Amino acid sequence: MIDKEFAERFIEEISENSSYSFLVFNRKGIILAATEKEREGAFHEAAYSMMQDNKNMVTIENSDVKNYIGVKAGINVIVSHNHKMIGAIAISGPPNEIRPVIMVAKMTFEKMFDYEIFKKQTLQNSDKREAFYGLLLDCEPRNAEKLNKMAKNLDFSSDLLRVPILFTTTSNNENIVMTTIQKSEYFRQQDFVFISRKQTLVVFKSIDKSSSDLFKHYRKELFKFLNPICETLTEKNISYNYFVGSFQNSLNNYHFAYKHCLWLAERNLPRSFFYDYVDDYIQSIIPIQELNGIYHTIETMMDPKMRTDFHELFSVLKQCNYNLVESSESLNIHKNTLIFRLNKYKEYFNFNPIHDSEDRAFADFLCIYINLLF
């Protein structure tokens, strides 16, 4: 279990604080590293016999040297990790003199080794998490089984309801924002936070609310989580924005939630919630070819002034939910003038978007199409 690199690092570390000659052995009694470099790679019979006989310590006096292969006077002790023998270390010299030193060296070695294993395990877990997060935002259906298996190995629930929050900040502040989020008293074991390939900070926050009261309370719960984080970042003079995406209860659909957050961010809708913009989102993803197939002929029959006027009028009507009073105020015209302009299109298209939902949809999408042509 002891590799040569670690053994050499131990020898280098302990030699800085001691003038004694140290050795590190693997379980086969081979010297992995030594203060006396020429001894590296040699077989040490005393250390090997000690490990084979499960002895904790073997003392070699000058008179004993002739009884073993490759040894000098000194003390050999086993070293352990998690109560299991992993090898041995030794100090060459008069046993009575070096006995206290070998016990300190043993303790130092085992602590160094424990920390080394901890670092490796932490790095492995970090690598596993990074791979999981990368796959989480991928939209490849073939990875579904692998994604759920990785979640299980990381003790993440795959069907827990979570909502994504995308944070944007300057590149040198990403780790500060992430640490602030992780330190939140409302950040739970089943929450994810990581930096995506697009260098945005992504949080998937678990939500406990049942489906019957989810929409009633989820914003309040998220604000309870977000507000202290925002206050801390403000106190630290760190600029940021956040964007809240769609609920998901299947890991295989998390890429949709992330895409919804990106959509909000790309349109500069800071501190926004995706469900407030579902209509705009759906309209934005309709292929231009489809709209062209529906409206191209109609659009070409309208002269430029008519197209401009139609777009101005129906954009405002849609924003005001087709409320005539609010629309006339937004356009800064009298209500009767608005009705006059609207009636021209009602007659031209033989429709009534004020009272007919299908006619309203026709007008809304024609307005979108005209806007794309501008």
Side-chain angles (χ1 to χ4, degrees), residues 139-325:
C139 58
E140 291 293 337
R142 67 175 182 269
N143 291 327
E145 185 177 345
K146 182 179 179 181
L147 181 62
N148 284 277
K149 185 177 180 181
M150 292 173 72
K152 185 177 180 180
N153 291 337
L154 291 167
D155 293 326
F156 288 147
S157 173
S158 60
D159 58 359
L160 192 66
L161 183 69
R162 296 184 180 90
V163 60
I165 309 168
L166 184 147
F167 277 84
T168 58
T169 185
T170 52
S171 58
N172 58 325
N173 286 326
E174 289 165 347
N175 289 324
I176 298 176
V177 176
M178 185 157 66
T179 301
T180 304
I181 292 169
Q182 291 171 326
K183 287 182 177 179
S184 166
E185 63 176 304
Y186 300 107
F187 187 81
R188 302 170 185 168
Q189 188 175 1
Q190 288 294 323
D191 297 342
F192 311 152
V193 57
F194 56 95
I195 298 173
S196 74
R197 293 169 186 167
K198 291 182 177 290
Q199 295 302 302
T200 54
L201 200 65
V202 184
V203 183
F204 279 95
K205 184 77 185 74
S206 55
I207 300 290
D208 291 334
K209 298 299 179 183
S210 65
S211 58
S212 61
D213 60 5
L214 176 62
F215 277 91
K216 188 185 298 182
H217 298 295
Y218 89 94
R219 295 188 192 223
K220 182 179 179 181
E221 186 165 337
L222 286 180
F223 282 134
K224 188 166 64 175
F225 168 67
L226 288 167
N227 287 344
I229 294 170
C230 294
E231 289 174 5
T232 300
L233 296 177
T234 300
E235 289 172 2
K236 294 181 177 180
N237 293 319
I238 295 175
S239 60
Y240 68 93
N241 268 315
Y242 65 76
F243 311 86
V244 180
S246 56
F247 308 138
Q248 301 297 335
N249 60 4
S250 170
L251 296 177
N252 302 323
N253 290 331
Y254 275 39
H255 63 277
F256 286 118
Y258 177 59
K259 183 170 70 171
H260 298 157
C261 288
L262 288 176
W263 183 86
L264 293 170
E266 288 166 359
R267 279 151 186 79
N268 194 27
L269 300 169
R271 304 195 185 190
S272 54
F273 287 73
F274 176 74
Y275 288 119
D276 292 336
Y277 298 93
V278 172
D279 184 44
D280 291 336
Y281 172 77
I282 292 175
Q283 290 181 18
S284 73
I285 62 175
I286 297 173
I288 183 63
Q289 294 92 333
E290 290 293 331
L291 291 175
N292 188 66
I294 297 169
Y295 290 110
H296 173 69
T297 301
I298 296 171
E299 175 267 330
T300 56
M301 295 170 62
M302 302 166 69
D303 62 50
K305 184 178 183 308
M306 184 180 185
R307 286 195 295 270
T308 301
D309 183 68
F310 181 93
H311 179 264
E312 178 189 36
L313 178 64
F314 281 90
S315 293
V316 173
L317 283 167
K318 184 177 184 300
Q319 290 171 6
C320 298
N321 200 27
Y322 281 78
N323 181 290
L324 297 181
V325 174

Side-chain angles (χ1 to χ4, degrees), residues 66-88:
K66 62 180 182 296
N67 299 324
Y68 297 97
I69 299 172
V71 304
K72 291 184 178 182
I75 299 178
N76 307 279
V77 296
I78 66 166
V79 286
S80 305
H81 172 68
N82 288 339
H83 308 293
K84 292 183 180 180
M85 180 178 64
I86 56 174

